[in-house]
């Protein structure tokens, strides 16, 4: 088997949260192009655009609308994924939100909303994934979407920084516990990407210019910029990569 064959995902099933737009959509398309069928979830009632792109890549797509602001739907997500595709090999925890306010004014609600979606539900999705991989005796891949704010403080986003720093931490702790089951748990830390999540700061001319000036690549990232990292971490090529948070940030963290 040549090295390029180790990046293939033929016959695999991937569960992707936040599948309908932004980075999650790009991950769905990338995994499908590499060979995987995709079970998407999101807050929205459907993910028609993502479905069309996955099917164009020649793979099957199934979807469940689920609100991950609580852990209640997680059992249903895995039951529906198993009903659609009989197995799960890859789980990408991508759904995430952000709330911005000065830390002196930050509310408990702004704290809980972000920590619930971006950290608590991610942990319990990982736990459900690991239980399924152990039951299948197959091993598996977990990819959590972290952030450069897993490494830095950020400005006016304390609950987001807390959650994303937590993601980097639990990605390591889960790798420590589950490597023995053939489960690889890694994360991708995107830099500043063009999605709805960054609409507000891109619309603020001064913030936009300050961010752009600091990105060594000289441009904002596009969702497709994380495609290669997602396929790599989901694939046999990354068999010995575990517990790591890989920045895909145009060089931002190195500066
Ligand atoms: P986005 O375009 O705003 O998409 C967010 C996704 O999360 C949507 O698919 C949304 O579902 C889903 N979601 C939000 N709340 C949910 C809930 N309560 N239950 C279920 N799904 C929910 O953002 P994005 O930029 O693609 O972000 C994807 C991930 O990358 C997030 O974890 C974000 O923190 C991270 N990230 C983004 C950047 C960036 O620069 N954009 C940088 C670093 C990290 P619906 O579409 O159904 O509403």
């Amino acid at each position: 088997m040549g090295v390029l064959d180790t990046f293939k995902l033929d016959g695999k099933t991937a569960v992707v949260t936040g599948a309908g737009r932004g980075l999650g959509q790009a991950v769905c398309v990338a995994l499908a192009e590499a060979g995987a069928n995709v079970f998407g979830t999101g807050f929205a009632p459907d993910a028609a655009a993502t479905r069309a792109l996955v099917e164009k890549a020649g793979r099957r797509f199934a979807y469940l609308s689920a609100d991950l602001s609580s852990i209640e739907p997680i059992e249903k997500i895995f039951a529906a994924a198993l009903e659609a595709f009989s197995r799960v090999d890859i789980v990408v925890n991508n759904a995430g939100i952000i709330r911005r306010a000065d830390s002196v004014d930050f509310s408990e609600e702004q704290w809980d909303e972000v920590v619930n979606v971006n950290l608590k539900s991610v942990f319990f999705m990982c736990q459900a994934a690991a239980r399924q991989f152990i039951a299948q005796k197959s091993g598996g891949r977990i990819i959590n979407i972290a952030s450069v704010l897993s490494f830095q403080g950020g400005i006016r986003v304390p609950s987001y920084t807390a959650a994303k720093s937590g993601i980097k931490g639990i990605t390591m702790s889960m790798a420590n516990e589950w490597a023995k089951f053939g489960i690889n748990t890694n994360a991708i830390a995107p830099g500043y990407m063009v999605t709805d999540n960054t609409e507000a700061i891109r619309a603020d001319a001064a913030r936009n210019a300050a961010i752009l000036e600091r990105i060594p690549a000289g441009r904002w990232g596009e969702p497709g910029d994380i495609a290669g990292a997602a396929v790599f971490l989901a694939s046999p090529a990354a068999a010995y990569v575990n517990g790591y948070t890989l920045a895909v940030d145009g060089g931002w963290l190195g500066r």
Side-chain angles (χ1 to χ4, degrees):
M1 188 160 66
V3 70
L4 289 180
D5 293 317
T6 69
F7 288 81
K8 290 184 177 163
L9 302 177
D10 295 310
K12 305 286 187 196
T13 298
V15 171
V16 180
T17 71
R21 57 193 165 110
L23 304 185
Q25 181 178 78
V27 168
C28 290
V29 175
L31 298 180
E33 287 178 351
N37 291 318
V38 179
F39 185 88
T41 80
F43 192 63
D46 63 43
T50 303
R51 175 185 300 280
L53 291 165
V54 167
E55 289 178 353
K56 195 173 152 211
R59 306 298 158 192
R60 291 197 291 143
F61 183 79
Y63 180 84
L64 182 75
S65 170
D67 180 359
L68 283 170
S69 62
S70 88
I71 68 171
E72 185 256 275
I74 292 175
E75 235 175 86
K76 275 182 246 165
I77 290 170
F78 278 82
L82 288 171
E83 198 183 317
F85 297 119
S86 306
R87 58 182 293 115
V88 177
D89 303 286
I90 300 154
V91 172
V92 182
N93 292 305
N94 162 80
I97 57 173
I98 194 161
R99 296 287 179 264
R100 294 188 174 86
D102 289 342
S103 288
V104 284
D105 299 324
F106 216 76
S107 69
E108 183 178 5
E109 190 185 5
Q110 289 169 318
W111 182 271
D112 287 344
E113 280 177 342
V114 172
V115 171
N116 282 341
V117 176
N118 295 19
L119 183 60
K120 182 176 177 182
S121 287
V122 174
F123 173 76
F124 285 99
M125 281 290 296
C126 292
Q127 182 189 67
R131 287 175 175 172
Q132 180 60 29
F133 297 152
I134 291 166
Q136 287 175 183
K137 297 187 170 41
S138 61
R141 295 303 167 90
I142 296 170
I143 302 170
N144 296 321
I145 302 302
S147 166
V148 290
L149 298 192
S150 303
F151 300 87
Q152 301 178 313
I155 299 168
R156 304 183 71 246
V157 287
S159 57
Y160 187 84
T161 305
K164 295 299 186 179
S165 299
I167 289 295
K168 178 169 170 286
I170 61 170
T171 295
M172 292 188 284
S173 70
M174 295 183 295
N176 293 339
E177 289 192 46
W178 298 339
K180 63 176 179 281
F181 301 114
I183 300 169
N184 293 49
T185 311
N186 290 292
I188 295 171
Y192 286 80
M193 318 295 280
V194 178
T195 69
D196 295 343
N197 175 294
T198 53
E199 201 176 355
I201 49 173
R202 282 182 291 113
D204 175 338
R207 277 287 276 142
N208 193 341
I211 288 167
L212 199 52
E213 193 275 327
R214 197 192 175 286
I215 302 173
R219 64 172 177 86
W220 284 70
E222 295 294 332
D225 281 315
I226 72 163
V231 170
F232 168 59
L233 292 175
S235 74
Y240 207 58
V241 180
N242 211 347
Y244 193 66
T245 297
L246 173 63
V248 179
D249 65 351
W252 173 276
L253 286 175
R255 185 146 176 187

